[in-house]
Amino acid sequence: MDVRQDTAAWKRVVEVASAAGRPVALASAVAACVEDVGADGLGVSLITSGQIRTVAHAADERSYRLEDAQLVAGEGPCTEAYLQRRIVDADVQSSCGQWPVFMRTAGELGIRTVVAVPLLVGDGVPVGAMDIYRTTSVPLDEADRVRLKAYGRILALLALDAHPALIGWEQAAPETGPLGYPPVVHQAAGAAAEASDVPVAEALARMRAHAFSRQQLLEGVARDILAGRLRLEEDGDTPPN
C-alpha cells in the first residue's frame, strides 16, 4: 500500500464531492478517478456472496453498456481481475481472441483499451472490480498502477458502505467466476420460464440471446418481461458463449 497515493486519492475524492455538494460515495469516487487518470469511462461491478454480479455505478451510459456487456457475455476483464486479484489491461484491437463477445461490443462503442482493477478488502478478499475505459491506446506504467490500486481501495470501502451484504460470505480466494445475475434478472427468468413452459436455465439463455442480438441491456430485458412488455418465444437467437 502506498500511503501517499491513498492520501492523495482520498483528498481528490473529497474535493470532487465537496465541489458537487454531494457526500463522499461511489459516485464522487468514480468522478474523481475518471478525472485523475484521464479515463473516457469507468464502471464498477460488485459481486455479492461470490456469485451475484451487479453494476453498482457507471460514469456514463456507454460505461454502463460496457459493464452490462460483460454481464451478458459472462466474460471480460472485470471477471479476470476479480478472479486473479490483480490489474488486468487489454487492447481491444489486439486481444488475441480473448473475451470475443465483450471485445466486439467494446470496439463497436469506440473503446480502444480496458483496464480492470480488483476491489479488495481485508486480506485481499475481492468484492468486485472497476473498469477503466479509454478511446486511445495508453500503456500503463508502474505509477499508473499504484494510483489505480489506491482508487480501487477507496472504491472497495465505499462499496462496502453502500452494500454491506458484500462481506457476508467466506470465499476469500475464488476459483471460478461469478455465475449469478442481479435479482431482477433471476426473477424475470423465472417468469419467462413459467410463461413459456421451459426450464429456468433455458429462459435465462433466451434472455441473454435476446439482449445480445438486439444490443439491449440485460436488466432492461428483465424489466420488460416483468412488466409484461416482452414475451420471449423460441427464435433464432443464440446465447453468447
Side-chain angles (χ1 to χ4, degrees), residues 65 68-73 101 104-105 108 181 185 203-225 230 232 235 237-240:
R65 293 194 67 85
D68 188 78
Q70 296 190 70
L71 182 67
V72 171
V101 175
R104 182 162 65 249
T105 300
E108 291 171 351
Y181 297 89
V185 174
L204 180 57
R206 291 184 187 180
M207 289 171 59
R208 292 177 60 216
H210 184 91
F212 177 71
S213 65
R214 291 164 176 78
Q215 297 186 330
Q216 296 177 348
L217 299 177
L218 182 58
E219 290 190 36
V221 171
R223 292 191 179 93
D224 284 345
I225 290 173
L230 175 64
L232 293 180
D235 54 28
D237 290 339
T238 300

Side-chain angles (χ1 to χ4, degrees), residues 52-214:
I52 308 302
R53 297 173 292 184
T54 304
V55 180
H57 192 82
D60 51 28
E61 178 62 24
R62 178 168 59 179
S63 298
Y64 191 94
R65 293 194 67 85
L66 288 161
E67 294 298 298
D68 188 78
Q70 296 190 70
L71 182 67
V72 171
E75 63 175 24
C78 173
T79 298
E80 190 70 16
Y82 168 79
L83 285 174
Q84 301 298 326
R85 291 181 289 177
R86 63 175 177 82
I87 292 178
V88 174
D89 59 296
D91 189 303
V92 172
Q93 296 183 354
S94 59
S95 60
C96 301
Q98 194 173 31
W99 317 308
V101 175
F102 168 73
M103 286 301 190
R104 182 162 65 249
T105 300
E108 291 171 351
L109 292 175
I111 298 302
R112 178 65 185 272
T113 57
V114 184
V115 180
V117 181
L119 304 184
L120 306 175
V121 297
D123 294 326
V125 177
V127 295
M130 73 169 177
D131 297 306
I132 307 291
Y133 301 109
R134 288 194 172 104
T135 56
T136 57
S137 182
V138 182
L140 287 179
D141 59 25
E142 187 56 33
D144 293 328
R145 291 177 179 273
V146 171
R147 184 165 45 169
L148 287 174
K149 287 178 181 178
Y151 277 107
R153 286 188 286 270
I154 291 172
L155 284 165
L157 291 174
L158 294 175
L160 284 177
D161 185 57
H163 304 272
L166 286 170
I167 60 175
W169 61 292
E170 299 178 353
Q171 187 180 353
E175 297 180 355
T176 60
L179 302 176
Y181 297 89
V184 66
V185 174
H186 287 290
Q187 292 167 12
E194 183 176 357
S196 300
D197 193 25
V198 297
V200 173
E202 182 175 337
L204 180 57
R206 291 184 187 180
M207 289 171 59
R208 292 177 60 216
H210 184 91
F212 177 71
S213 65
R214 291 164 176 78

